[in-house]
Tab-separated table of all heavy atoms in Angstrom:
chain	number	residue	atom	x	y	z
A	30	VAL	N	8.545	7.309	-11.185
A	30	VAL	CA	8.647	7.718	-9.731
A	30	VAL	C	7.562	7.066	-8.987
A	30	VAL	O	7.908	6.577	-7.847
A	30	VAL	CB	8.581	9.188	-9.629
A	30	VAL	CG1	8.299	9.665	-8.104
A	30	VAL	CG2	9.708	9.951	-10.174
A	31	ILE	N	6.362	7.026	-9.526
A	31	ILE	CA	5.343	6.312	-8.836
A	31	ILE	C	5.522	4.877	-8.727
A	31	ILE	O	5.224	4.164	-7.681
A	31	ILE	CB	3.875	6.491	-9.475
A	31	ILE	CG1	3.568	8.091	-9.406
A	31	ILE	CG2	2.772	5.684	-8.978
A	31	ILE	CD1	2.265	8.346	-10.140
A	32	ASP	N	6.129	4.122	-9.676
A	32	ASP	CA	6.533	2.773	-9.547
A	32	ASP	C	7.562	2.562	-8.435
A	32	ASP	O	7.576	1.613	-7.761
A	32	ASP	CB	7.072	2.252	-10.891
A	32	ASP	CG	5.991	1.844	-11.909
A	32	ASP	OD1	4.744	1.941	-11.507
A	32	ASP	OD2	6.277	1.512	-13.026
A	33	ARG	N	8.405	3.506	-8.484
A	33	ARG	CA	9.519	3.376	-7.319
A	33	ARG	C	8.944	3.580	-5.892
A	33	ARG	O	9.332	2.746	-4.988
A	33	ARG	CB	10.722	4.329	-7.548
A	33	ARG	CG	11.509	4.004	-8.790
A	33	ARG	CD	12.760	4.954	-8.770
A	33	ARG	NE	13.450	4.777	-10.007
A	33	ARG	CZ	13.424	5.495	-11.209
A	33	ARG	NH1	12.543	6.415	-11.166
A	33	ARG	NH2	14.233	5.076	-12.132
A	34	LEU	N	7.991	4.438	-5.892
A	34	LEU	CA	7.217	4.642	-4.614
A	34	LEU	C	6.263	3.397	-4.230
A	34	LEU	O	6.302	3.005	-3.026
A	34	LEU	CB	6.408	5.821	-4.676
A	34	LEU	CG	7.056	7.200	-4.555
A	34	LEU	CD1	5.966	8.343	-4.793
A	34	LEU	CD2	7.746	7.406	-3.351
A	35	GLY	N	5.846	2.652	-5.217
A	35	GLY	CA	5.155	1.478	-4.960
A	35	GLY	C	6.053	0.467	-4.521
A	35	GLY	O	5.646	-0.350	-3.671
A	36	ARG	N	7.283	0.253	-4.929
A	36	ARG	CA	8.206	-0.608	-4.474
A	36	ARG	C	8.581	-0.304	-3.015
A	36	ARG	O	8.603	-1.202	-2.127
A	36	ARG	CB	9.520	-0.650	-5.291
A	36	ARG	CG	9.291	-1.319	-6.725
A	36	ARG	CD	10.552	-1.530	-7.295
A	36	ARG	NE	10.435	-2.151	-8.553
A	36	ARG	CZ	10.324	-1.637	-9.770
A	36	ARG	NH1	9.993	-0.311	-9.836
A	36	ARG	NH2	10.071	-2.257	-10.927
A	37	LEU	N	8.821	1.004	-2.759
A	37	LEU	CA	9.071	1.339	-1.286
A	37	LEU	C	7.825	1.054	-0.447
A	37	LEU	O	7.951	0.630	0.694
A	37	LEU	CB	9.327	2.967	-1.363
A	37	LEU	CG	9.449	3.620	0.112
A	37	LEU	CD1	10.675	3.041	0.818
A	37	LEU	CD2	9.484	5.065	-0.023
A	38	ASP	N	6.637	1.222	-0.984
A	38	ASP	CA	5.380	0.938	-0.267
A	38	ASP	C	5.488	-0.514	0.187
A	38	ASP	O	5.044	-0.872	1.367
A	38	ASP	CB	4.303	1.206	-1.130
A	38	ASP	CG	2.915	0.788	-0.651
A	38	ASP	OD1	2.370	1.544	0.144
A	38	ASP	OD2	2.365	-0.212	-1.012
A	39	GLY	N	5.820	-1.367	-0.757
A	39	GLY	CA	5.876	-2.769	-0.391
A	39	GLY	C	6.897	-3.224	0.570
A	39	GLY	O	6.566	-4.002	1.503
A	40	TRP	N	7.992	-2.548	0.517
A	40	TRP	CA	9.183	-2.792	1.414
A	40	TRP	C	8.588	-2.342	2.998
A	40	TRP	O	8.897	-2.952	3.950
A	40	TRP	CB	10.495	-2.135	1.161
A	40	TRP	CG	11.158	-2.968	0.099
A	40	TRP	CD1	11.200	-2.588	-1.267
A	40	TRP	CD2	11.811	-4.197	0.314
A	40	TRP	NE1	12.001	-3.619	-1.897
A	40	TRP	CE2	12.333	-4.589	-0.961
A	40	TRP	CE3	12.024	-5.012	1.366
A	40	TRP	CZ2	13.143	-5.728	-1.126
A	40	TRP	CZ3	12.789	-6.107	1.200
A	40	TRP	CH2	13.305	-6.402	-0.155
A	41	ILE	N	8.045	-1.067	2.931
A	41	ILE	CA	7.654	-0.625	4.291
A	41	ILE	C	6.467	-1.486	4.832
A	41	ILE	O	6.502	-1.731	6.055
A	41	ILE	CB	7.123	0.856	4.128
A	41	ILE	CG1	8.248	1.802	3.709
A	41	ILE	CG2	6.490	1.380	5.403
A	41	ILE	CD1	7.838	3.202	3.478
A	42	GLY	N	5.605	-1.862	4.022
A	42	GLY	CA	4.467	-2.716	4.434
A	42	GLY	C	5.160	-4.229	4.928
A	42	GLY	O	4.647	-4.596	6.050
A	43	GLY	N	6.016	-4.703	4.362
A	43	GLY	CA	6.745	-5.854	4.720
A	43	GLY	C	7.356	-5.616	6.080
A	43	GLY	O	7.428	-6.531	7.014
A	44	GLY	N	8.095	-4.490	6.265
A	44	GLY	CA	8.758	-4.227	7.595
A	44	GLY	C	7.702	-4.076	8.711
A	44	GLY	O	7.975	-4.513	9.715
A	45	CYS	N	6.594	-3.419	8.319
A	45	CYS	CA	5.570	-3.241	9.481
A	45	CYS	C	5.115	-4.631	9.818
A	45	CYS	O	4.767	-5.017	10.987
A	45	CYS	CB	4.445	-2.378	8.914
A	45	CYS	SG	4.839	-0.698	8.674
A	46	LEU	N	4.856	-5.523	8.866
A	46	LEU	CA	4.335	-6.890	9.111
A	46	LEU	C	5.499	-7.696	9.952
A	46	LEU	O	5.116	-8.389	11.028
A	46	LEU	CB	3.994	-7.608	7.874
A	46	LEU	CG	3.337	-8.904	7.985
A	46	LEU	CD1	1.862	-8.627	8.643
A	46	LEU	CD2	3.073	-9.540	6.596
A	47	LEU	N	6.620	-7.444	9.679
A	47	LEU	CA	7.728	-8.102	10.451
A	47	LEU	C	7.835	-7.645	11.766
A	47	LEU	O	7.863	-8.367	12.887
A	47	LEU	CB	9.117	-7.906	9.713
A	47	LEU	CG	10.282	-8.587	10.389
A	47	LEU	CD1	10.215	-10.047	10.444
A	47	LEU	CD2	11.634	-8.184	9.651
A	48	ALA	N	7.731	-6.288	11.939
A	48	ALA	CA	7.614	-5.715	13.321
A	48	ALA	C	6.419	-6.308	14.132
A	48	ALA	O	6.577	-6.380	15.396
A	48	ALA	CB	7.618	-4.180	13.186
A	49	LEU	N	5.206	-6.308	13.511
A	49	LEU	CA	4.110	-6.805	14.141
A	49	LEU	C	4.360	-8.258	14.660
A	49	LEU	O	3.985	-8.562	15.770
A	49	LEU	CB	2.880	-6.611	13.109
A	49	LEU	CG	1.602	-7.456	13.670
A	49	LEU	CD1	1.103	-6.760	14.867
A	49	LEU	CD2	0.503	-7.379	12.483
A	50	THR	N	4.895	-9.092	13.752
A	50	THR	CA	5.090	-10.502	14.171
A	50	THR	C	6.088	-10.612	15.240
A	50	THR	O	5.797	-11.305	16.220
A	50	THR	CB	5.639	-11.186	12.934
A	50	THR	OG1	4.751	-11.218	11.954
A	50	THR	CG2	5.827	-12.718	13.370
A	51	SER	N	7.022	-9.716	15.279
A	51	SER	CA	8.161	-9.774	16.273
A	51	SER	C	7.463	-9.285	17.692
A	51	SER	O	7.798	-9.897	18.708
A	51	SER	CB	9.211	-8.839	15.989
A	51	SER	OG	9.915	-9.199	14.826
A	52	LEU	N	6.733	-8.253	17.636
A	52	LEU	CA	6.043	-7.733	18.884
A	52	LEU	C	5.096	-8.783	19.438
A	52	LEU	O	5.039	-9.007	20.744
A	52	LEU	CB	5.199	-6.486	18.466
A	52	LEU	CG	4.606	-5.706	19.676
A	52	LEU	CD1	5.626	-5.365	20.704
A	52	LEU	CD2	3.773	-4.456	19.151
A	53	MET	N	4.344	-9.484	18.611
A	53	MET	CA	3.400	-10.468	19.070
A	53	MET	C	4.185	-11.640	19.672
A	53	MET	O	3.850	-12.218	20.725
A	53	MET	CB	2.499	-10.993	17.972
A	53	MET	CG	1.353	-10.017	17.546
A	53	MET	SD	0.199	-9.637	18.907
A	53	MET	CE	0.911	-8.394	19.786
A	54	LEU	N	5.289	-12.055	19.009
A	54	LEU	CA	6.089	-13.148	19.628
A	54	LEU	C	6.633	-12.818	20.955
A	54	LEU	O	6.749	-13.698	21.913
A	54	LEU	CB	7.167	-13.531	18.514
A	54	LEU	CG	6.798	-14.281	17.355
A	54	LEU	CD1	7.892	-14.496	16.348
A	54	LEU	CD2	6.072	-15.681	17.768
A	55	ALA	N	7.155	-11.488	20.974
A	55	ALA	CA	7.661	-10.949	22.303
A	55	ALA	C	6.618	-11.020	23.320
A	55	ALA	O	6.970	-11.349	24.584
A	55	ALA	CB	8.219	-9.640	22.089
A	56	GLU	N	5.419	-10.670	23.111
A	56	GLU	CA	4.391	-10.708	24.040
A	56	GLU	C	3.998	-12.090	24.502
A	56	GLU	O	3.854	-12.328	25.683
A	56	GLU	CB	3.016	-10.081	23.417
A	56	GLU	CG	1.759	-10.072	24.165
A	56	GLU	CD	1.811	-9.277	25.353
A	56	GLU	OE1	2.715	-8.620	25.661
A	56	GLU	OE2	0.818	-9.454	26.229
A	57	VAL	N	3.933	-13.046	23.637
A	57	VAL	CA	3.716	-14.381	23.951
A	57	VAL	C	4.862	-14.924	24.809
A	57	VAL	O	4.665	-15.725	25.868
A	57	VAL	CB	3.503	-15.268	22.712
A	57	VAL	CG1	3.511	-16.804	23.036
A	57	VAL	CG2	2.236	-14.918	21.970
A	58	THR	N	6.101	-14.686	24.443
A	58	THR	CA	7.310	-15.117	25.184
A	58	THR	C	7.207	-14.596	26.632
A	58	THR	O	7.527	-15.269	27.595
A	58	THR	CB	8.586	-14.780	24.477
A	58	THR	OG1	8.607	-15.330	23.159
A	58	THR	CG2	9.854	-15.217	25.144
A	59	THR	N	6.989	-13.233	26.638
A	59	THR	CA	6.924	-12.594	27.979
A	59	THR	C	5.944	-13.221	28.900
A	59	THR	O	6.099	-13.398	30.116
A	59	THR	CB	6.762	-11.121	27.829
A	59	THR	OG1	7.678	-10.416	27.065
A	59	THR	CG2	6.576	-10.365	29.113
A	60	ARG	N	4.704	-13.426	28.302
A	60	ARG	CA	3.591	-14.050	29.157
A	60	ARG	C	4.041	-15.448	29.524
A	60	ARG	O	3.777	-15.825	30.745
A	60	ARG	CB	2.329	-14.153	28.437
A	60	ARG	CG	1.044	-14.529	29.148
A	60	ARG	CD	-0.137	-14.296	28.283
A	60	ARG	NE	-0.299	-12.878	28.053
A	60	ARG	CZ	-0.935	-12.070	28.887
A	60	ARG	NH1	-1.446	-12.545	30.077
A	60	ARG	NH2	-1.232	-10.832	28.525
A	61	ALA	N	4.753	-16.239	28.692
A	61	ALA	CA	5.080	-17.523	29.057
A	61	ALA	C	6.278	-17.540	30.188
A	61	ALA	O	6.122	-18.309	31.129
A	61	ALA	CB	5.735	-18.320	27.844
A	62	LEU	N	7.078	-16.722	30.041
A	62	LEU	CA	8.208	-16.473	31.083
A	62	LEU	C	7.659	-16.082	32.461
A	62	LEU	O	8.213	-16.420	33.507
A	62	LEU	CB	9.381	-15.638	30.475
A	62	LEU	CG	10.174	-16.017	29.483
A	62	LEU	CD1	11.039	-15.055	29.027
A	62	LEU	CD2	11.061	-17.264	29.862
A	63	SER	N	6.604	-15.181	32.374
A	63	SER	CA	5.993	-14.706	33.671
A	63	SER	C	5.383	-15.890	34.405
A	63	SER	O	5.256	-15.747	35.596
A	63	SER	CB	5.071	-13.644	33.354
A	63	SER	OG	3.950	-14.080	32.726
A	64	ASN	N	4.994	-16.860	33.744
A	64	ASN	CA	4.348	-18.007	34.377
A	64	ASN	C	5.446	-18.790	35.098
A	64	ASN	O	5.040	-19.564	36.149
A	64	ASN	CB	3.550	-18.947	33.369
A	64	ASN	CG	2.425	-18.267	32.800
A	64	ASN	OD1	1.714	-17.393	33.452
A	64	ASN	ND2	2.012	-18.574	31.654
A	65	VAL	N	6.730	-18.784	34.722
A	65	VAL	CA	7.789	-19.475	35.256
A	65	VAL	C	8.560	-18.772	36.269
A	65	VAL	O	9.040	-19.160	37.342
A	65	VAL	CB	8.743	-20.088	34.113
A	65	VAL	CG1	9.858	-20.869	34.838
A	65	VAL	CG2	7.929	-21.064	33.173
A	66	LEU	N	8.760	-17.421	35.818
A	66	LEU	CA	9.594	-16.467	36.681
A	66	LEU	C	8.615	-15.425	37.263
A	66	LEU	O	8.188	-14.610	36.560
A	66	LEU	CB	10.751	-15.873	35.848
A	66	LEU	CG	11.695	-16.863	35.098
A	66	LEU	CD1	12.488	-16.135	34.171
A	66	LEU	CD2	12.476	-17.734	36.102
A	67	PRO	N	8.372	-15.587	38.449
A	67	PRO	CA	7.364	-14.517	39.118
A	67	PRO	C	7.828	-13.134	39.009
A	67	PRO	O	6.948	-12.143	38.863
A	67	PRO	CB	7.393	-14.945	40.624
A	67	PRO	CG	7.841	-16.410	40.691
A	67	PRO	CD	8.865	-16.431	39.526
A	68	PHE	N	9.084	-12.765	38.913
A	68	PHE	CA	9.555	-11.353	38.938
A	68	PHE	C	9.490	-10.855	37.401
A	68	PHE	O	9.700	-9.722	37.212
A	68	PHE	CB	11.063	-11.240	39.360
A	68	PHE	CG	12.034	-12.179	38.631
A	68	PHE	CD1	12.574	-11.742	37.394
A	68	PHE	CD2	12.388	-13.402	38.978
A	68	PHE	CE1	13.518	-12.444	36.647
A	68	PHE	CE2	13.233	-14.175	38.267
A	68	PHE	CZ	13.816	-13.711	37.093
A	69	PHE	N	9.238	-11.695	36.533
A	69	PHE	CA	9.128	-11.339	35.070
A	69	PHE	C	7.845	-10.579	34.786
A	69	PHE	O	6.730	-11.078	35.269
A	69	PHE	CB	9.275	-12.524	34.120
A	69	PHE	CG	9.971	-12.225	32.842
A	69	PHE	CD1	11.298	-12.099	32.793
A	69	PHE	CD2	9.263	-11.945	31.720
A	69	PHE	CE1	12.136	-11.880	31.650
A	69	PHE	CE2	9.880	-11.694	30.538
A	69	PHE	CZ	11.292	-11.620	30.473
A	70	PRO	N	7.781	-9.486	34.064
A	70	PRO	CA	6.512	-8.826	33.821
A	70	PRO	C	5.636	-9.656	32.971
A	70	PRO	O	5.968	-10.390	32.074
A	70	PRO	CB	6.979	-7.538	32.960
A	70	PRO	CG	8.314	-7.899	32.383
A	70	PRO	CD	9.012	-8.877	33.458
A	71	PRO	N	4.349	-9.668	33.335
A	71	PRO	CA	3.429	-10.613	32.649
A	71	PRO	C	3.006	-10.173	31.249
A	71	PRO	O	2.405	-10.997	30.606
A	71	PRO	CB	2.102	-10.515	33.551
A	71	PRO	CG	2.213	-9.278	34.214
A	71	PRO	CD	3.643	-8.828	34.416
A	72	THR	N	3.331	-8.972	30.857
A	72	THR	CA	2.945	-8.420	29.513
A	72	THR	C	3.810	-7.311	29.076
A	72	THR	O	4.396	-6.602	29.966
A	72	THR	CB	1.414	-8.040	29.588
A	72	THR	OG1	1.007	-7.790	28.176
A	72	THR	CG2	1.209	-6.942	30.424
A	73	ILE	N	3.783	-6.955	27.857
A	73	ILE	CA	4.394	-5.804	27.293
A	73	ILE	C	3.354	-4.747	27.260
A	73	ILE	O	2.291	-4.992	26.329
A	73	ILE	CB	5.034	-6.076	25.892
A	73	ILE	CG1	6.146	-7.056	26.068
A	73	ILE	CG2	5.634	-4.802	25.335
A	73	ILE	CD1	6.717	-7.543	24.715
A	74	SER	N	3.372	-3.646	27.872
A	74	SER	CA	2.203	-2.826	28.040
A	74	SER	C	1.760	-2.209	26.749
A	74	SER	O	0.546	-1.846	26.518
A	74	SER	CB	2.663	-1.577	29.053
A	74	SER	OG	3.650	-0.923	28.576
A	75	ILE	N	2.706	-1.974	25.822
A	75	ILE	CA	2.269	-1.308	24.547
A	75	ILE	C	1.995	-2.374	23.352
A	75	ILE	O	1.808	-1.908	22.310
A	75	ILE	CB	3.493	-0.333	23.966
A	75	ILE	CG1	4.733	-1.256	23.725
A	75	ILE	CG2	3.664	0.696	25.068
A	75	ILE	CD1	5.780	-0.411	22.922
A	76	ALA	N	1.982	-3.563	23.742
A	76	ALA	CA	1.991	-4.561	22.687
A	76	ALA	C	0.733	-4.556	21.807
A	76	ALA	O	0.726	-4.493	20.682
A	76	ALA	CB	2.091	-6.093	23.268
A	77	TRP	N	-0.495	-4.447	22.550
A	77	TRP	CA	-1.673	-4.486	21.743
A	77	TRP	C	-2.006	-3.224	21.050
A	77	TRP	O	-2.450	-3.254	19.916
A	77	TRP	CB	-2.925	-4.932	22.673
A	77	TRP	CG	-2.782	-6.348	23.095
A	77	TRP	CD1	-2.484	-6.814	24.364
A	77	TRP	CD2	-3.002	-7.523	22.242
A	77	TRP	NE1	-2.460	-8.221	24.346
A	77	TRP	CE2	-2.756	-8.624	23.067
A	77	TRP	CE3	-3.460	-7.661	21.015
A	77	TRP	CZ2	-2.928	-9.880	22.556
A	77	TRP	CZ3	-3.493	-9.017	20.507
A	77	TRP	CH2	-3.230	-10.102	21.268
A	78	GLU	N	-1.609	-2.100	21.712
A	78	GLU	CA	-1.798	-0.869	21.170
A	78	GLU	C	-0.979	-0.634	19.802
A	78	GLU	O	-1.391	-0.319	18.738
A	78	GLU	CB	-1.456	0.245	22.013
A	78	GLU	CG	-1.539	1.619	21.364
A	78	GLU	CD	-0.996	2.794	22.397
A	78	GLU	OE1	-0.802	2.529	23.611
A	78	GLU	OE2	-0.868	3.926	21.886
A	79	TYR	N	0.332	-1.073	19.907
A	79	TYR	CA	1.250	-0.815	18.758
A	79	TYR	C	0.958	-1.909	17.703
A	79	TYR	O	1.226	-1.685	16.582
A	79	TYR	CB	2.671	-0.871	19.249
A	79	TYR	CG	3.191	0.546	19.703
A	79	TYR	CD1	2.714	1.079	20.971
A	79	TYR	CD2	3.931	1.238	18.944
A	79	TYR	CE1	3.027	2.204	21.333
A	79	TYR	CE2	4.372	2.492	19.347
A	79	TYR	CZ	4.037	3.043	20.437
A	79	TYR	OH	4.282	4.324	20.917
A	80	SER	N	0.433	-3.138	18.106
A	80	SER	CA	0.179	-4.068	17.125
A	80	SER	C	-0.979	-3.668	16.203
A	80	SER	O	-1.018	-3.807	15.028
A	80	SER	CB	-0.233	-5.446	17.745
A	80	SER	OG	-1.384	-5.319	18.458
A	81	SER	N	-1.858	-2.787	16.796
A	81	SER	CA	-3.055	-2.276	16.020
A	81	SER	C	-2.486	-1.192	15.041
A	81	SER	O	-2.948	-1.121	13.859
A	81	SER	CB	-4.124	-1.772	16.814
A	81	SER	OG	-3.564	-0.650	17.711
A	82	TYR	N	-1.510	-0.480	15.427
A	82	TYR	CA	-0.970	0.568	14.599
A	82	TYR	C	-0.143	-0.214	13.458
A	82	TYR	O	-0.282	0.306	12.262
A	82	TYR	CB	0.037	1.414	15.335
A	82	TYR	CG	-0.515	2.308	16.457
A	82	TYR	CD1	0.373	2.685	17.576
A	82	TYR	CD2	-1.843	2.646	16.449
A	82	TYR	CE1	-0.263	3.463	18.566
A	82	TYR	CE2	-2.378	3.401	17.501
A	82	TYR	CZ	-1.511	3.808	18.569
A	82	TYR	OH	-2.015	4.568	19.596
A	83	LEU	N	0.558	-1.211	13.735
A	83	LEU	CA	1.374	-1.858	12.698
A	83	LEU	C	0.484	-2.678	11.747
A	83	LEU	O	0.727	-2.713	10.579
A	83	LEU	CB	2.320	-2.848	13.325
A	83	LEU	CG	3.528	-2.128	14.064
A	83	LEU	CD1	4.222	-3.198	14.958
A	83	LEU	CD2	4.430	-1.493	13.131
A	84	MET	N	-0.621	-3.175	12.269
A	84	MET	CA	-1.641	-3.926	11.384
A	84	MET	C	-2.206	-2.897	10.259
A	84	MET	O	-2.270	-3.141	9.215
A	84	MET	CB	-2.707	-4.513	12.173
A	84	MET	CG	-3.714	-5.199	11.455
A	84	MET	SD	-3.060	-6.653	10.520
A	84	MET	CE	-2.812	-7.784	11.826
A	85	ALA	N	-2.655	-1.631	10.836
A	85	ALA	CA	-3.213	-0.708	9.984
A	85	ALA	C	-2.118	-0.302	8.936
A	85	ALA	O	-2.458	-0.087	7.721
A	85	ALA	CB	-3.689	0.459	10.693
A	86	ALA	N	-0.851	-0.037	9.314
A	86	ALA	CA	0.133	0.395	8.470
A	86	ALA	C	0.437	-0.819	7.392
A	86	ALA	O	0.681	-0.384	6.282
A	86	ALA	CB	1.340	0.694	9.188
A	87	SER	N	0.438	-1.971	7.896
A	87	SER	CA	0.591	-3.162	6.920
A	87	SER	C	-0.424	-3.129	5.824
A	87	SER	O	-0.094	-3.350	4.614
A	87	SER	CB	0.662	-4.427	7.653
A	87	SER	OG	1.747	-4.456	8.609
Side-chain angles (χ1 to χ4, degrees):
V30 167
I31 293 176
D32 278 352
R33 290 189 182 96
L34 287 174
R36 288 186 176 89
L37 173 66
D38 175 81
W40 282 106
I41 295 175
C45 289
L46 194 58
L47 180 61
L49 171 62
T50 303
S51 300
L52 185 58
M53 288 293 94
L54 288 174
E56 170 70 6
V57 170
T58 303
T59 299
R60 189 171 295 274
L62 288 174
S63 69
N64 292 332
V65 179
L66 306 171
F68 60 86
F69 213 81
T72 185
I73 300 174
S74 60
I75 64 167
W77 291 106
E78 177 188 346
Y79 276 72
S80 66
S81 64
Y82 299 154
L83 289 167
M84 179 66 72
S87 298

